[in-house]
Amino acid sequence: MEKYRSRILIMTCLFYGAVVGVIVNTNGQFYPSIADSLGVPIGDVTMASLIMGLAALICTPLVTGWYQKRDARLFSLAATMVFLLSHFLCGLVTKLWQFYVLSAVRGAVQGFLMFYLVSTLIKSWFGEQSGAKLGIAALSSGITGMAANTLIGLAIDRWSWRVALCGSAVAAFVLGIPLLALYMVRSPKEWEERQRRGGKEVSPEVDGASAKKTEMSDRRGETGHPGVLVCGLVMTLLWLIPFSLTQHLKIYAMGQGFSQMFGANLMTLTMVGNLLSKLYLSIYADRLGARKMAVGVIGLLLAGDLLLLAPATATLSVGAILLGISTSVTAVLVPQVTAYVYTGDQFDRVFAWFSMVMSLGNALWISVDGILYDRLGSYVPVFAGAAVLLAVSMVLFAIFAGSTRKE
């Protein structure tokens, strides 16, 4: 069992690095090139992110429900292939509507892959040590994202954005698919059941997890006070704003007179913040606790946001590093804060909603930022508004975390 836990951790590291580090964290590199190629404003391109988010809003609860009822390995592989293929085909589009359609397809599975799958796997396999293991798994997105942003920037300069985008999909396939195919198992109980059945995959209807669900059926609707849940979902939505800003750093830098390569380097610096924060959280997440972690992470993101309002080389560089911590929000902070308020069976039911909001929020804010930039001609109001909303989110966090007396 312990040996297989190690395999699960390695698998989730590579998978998260492929989906988030190689694909999601590099999206902003392509926006200016796609807009130029299709002859449309930046806001029209980032609108695809909103479409992606709306698809996630509709589909994430359905996809997570199907995952619980079907063969975990085959379902995860199928969802990942849909995600990677739709991303690959974006490199071949010649019309904006094609980009929109592919974004909707990708969004249908992104919430499940990016937020739900890894978090629930680690919670299931590692229990009380899940905070540190989430940090380790999330660290992979920083490492791969740092390399991917630099290589994609070079590929765009040397060849084209189409080659770079298609190449990123192929790289993510090579990185994430093999171990997913070999080692994906939903839970330790399912693994034990498979061992008893000679390694044959079983559906959750006949494994130990099913028995637990039946046993807990009388508590199926129990998710706490609805106001607490709504407060947590809105708080999460606001916490996603800094990540959307990282995807606009390249455009922002070019608009301030810096080179395309400096903009790419800023995105690479966000990966430095990503890497350092996840390295720290992989060691101290469980020791810090949800409250201290939230205050520290959101405080640093607010500082990074404010530094970006002063467009000098030094402030942009430091601000980019601090803003890179935003990837820890979805990977570590939200799962831990959710688990702080909702425990055991409640977490499994509620986290699908948080996954849906995270997928919607990432896409929504990227689109909103692009539209505001097109309308206002400046990112200054965008960054200033983000600072205000982050302050509001901390008030919501106090209410959300205060609904329990733990810690």
Side-chain angles (χ1 to χ4, degrees):
M1 175 72 78
E2 289 306 313
K3 184 177 180 180
Y4 209 87
R5 287 184 202 275
S6 300
R7 293 176 181 175
I8 290 289
L9 182 59
I10 294 170
M11 179 198 78
T12 53
C13 284
L14 293 178
F15 180 80
Y16 200 78
V19 171
V20 179
V22 177
I23 304 295
V24 177
N25 286 352
T26 62
N27 280 337
Q29 289 261 35
F30 299 106
Y31 294 151
S33 300
I34 293 173
D36 289 343
S37 177
L38 301 182
V40 298
I42 290 288
D44 286 0
V45 173
T46 59
M47 181 62 71
S49 294
L50 179 58
I51 293 171
M52 190 185 303
L54 292 174
L57 178 67
I58 297 168
C59 297
T60 299
L62 297 174
V63 175
T64 54
W66 293 335
Y67 165 73
Q68 292 296 336
K69 297 175 183 178
R70 287 166 172 75
D71 182 306
R73 181 178 303 176
L74 293 180
F75 188 85
S76 300
L77 285 170
T80 306
M81 289 305 301
V82 169
F83 179 81
L84 294 179
L85 182 60
S86 59
H87 182 72
F88 179 91
L89 292 175
C90 284
L92 308 179
V93 299
T94 56
K95 303 290 184 182
L96 186 62
W97 69 264
Q98 297 168 347
F99 188 57
Y100 287 168
V101 170
L102 291 170
S103 296
V105 173
R106 179 176 148 186
V109 294
Q110 181 168 297
F112 166 71
L113 295 176
M114 185 176 174
F115 305 115
Y116 186 83
L117 182 60
V118 171
S119 295
T120 53
L121 277 175
I122 289 180
K123 285 288 181 184
S124 176
W125 278 92
F126 296 99
E128 294 300 320
Q129 299 177 333
S130 60
K133 297 303 186 289
L134 280 169
I136 293 171
L139 183 63
S140 62
S141 71
I143 297 171
T144 55
M146 186 183 300
N149 269 297
T150 300
L151 293 174
I152 285 172
L154 292 171
I156 291 174
D157 267 352
R158 185 167 182 178
W159 295 297
S160 70
W161 69 270
R162 295 182 185 277
V163 171
L165 195 152
C166 292
S168 68
V170 173
F173 176 90
V174 172
L175 188 64
I177 288 293
L179 290 189
L180 188 68
L182 287 173
Y183 300 128
M184 174 63 192
V185 180
R186 197 185 334 257
S187 67
K189 288 186 177 181
E190 185 172 291
W191 180 82
E192 290 171 353
E193 184 67 23
R194 287 180 59 193
Q195 294 300 107
R196 288 194 293 270
R197 292 170 177 266
K200 183 180 178 181
E201 183 76 44
V202 295
S203 65
E205 287 82 1
V206 297
D207 70 3
S210 177
K212 179 181 178 182
K213 287 185 179 180
T214 302
E215 186 180 309
M216 301 294 291
S217 61
D218 60 320
R219 296 171 55 197
R220 189 167 299 278
E222 188 180 310
T223 56
H225 193 283
V228 174
L229 178 59
V230 171
C231 182
L233 294 176
V234 175
M235 170 199 74
T236 299
L237 187 64
L238 297 182
W239 279 358
L240 300 175
I241 295 174
F243 177 76
S244 72
L245 299 180
T246 66
Q247 301 302 296
H248 287 269
L249 285 179
K250 182 175 180 179
I251 308 167
Y252 179 43
M254 293 170 66
Q256 296 295 326
F258 294 96
S259 67
Q260 186 272 150
M261 206 53 220
F262 178 75
N265 288 336
L266 281 183
M267 297 192 72
T268 301
L269 285 175
T270 66
M271 294 301 101
V272 174
N274 178 335
L275 183 64
L276 293 175
S277 65
K278 288 172 182 173
L279 179 61
Y280 181 81
L281 292 176
S282 68
I283 300 171
Y284 294 108
D286 295 317
R287 301 181 199 176
L288 287 171
R291 288 178 178 270
K292 292 179 181 178
M293 190 196 311
V295 172
V297 168
I298 303 304
L300 289 173
L301 291 177
L302 180 56
D305 179 20
L306 294 173
L307 282 171
L308 290 169
L309 290 170
T313 302
T315 54
L316 283 176
S317 299
V318 176
I321 292 173
L322 292 179
L323 223 59
I325 299 172
S326 61
T327 54
S328 296
V329 170
T330 54
V332 184
L333 183 59
V334 173
Q336 286 299 92
V337 168
T338 306
Y340 174 74
V341 177
Y342 299 100
T343 59
D345 193 53
Q346 278 189 326
F347 177 85
D348 292 335
R349 290 195 299 271
V350 169
F351 199 67
W353 291 97
F354 281 86
S355 299
M356 177 190 71
V357 167
M358 286 189 284
S359 190
L360 171 66
N362 271 352
L364 173 68
W365 293 123
I366 290 172
S367 297
V368 168
D369 292 345
I371 293 169
L372 288 175
Y373 174 67
D374 282 344
R375 299 292 184 271
L376 302 173
S378 171
Y379 276 106
V380 173
V382 177
F383 292 133
V388 173
L389 291 177
L390 282 175
V392 171
S393 76
M394 291 307 294
V395 176
L396 295 175
F397 169 69
I399 298 170
F400 184 63
S403 65
T404 177
R405 294 186 177 183
K406 287 186 288 182
E407 199 177 292

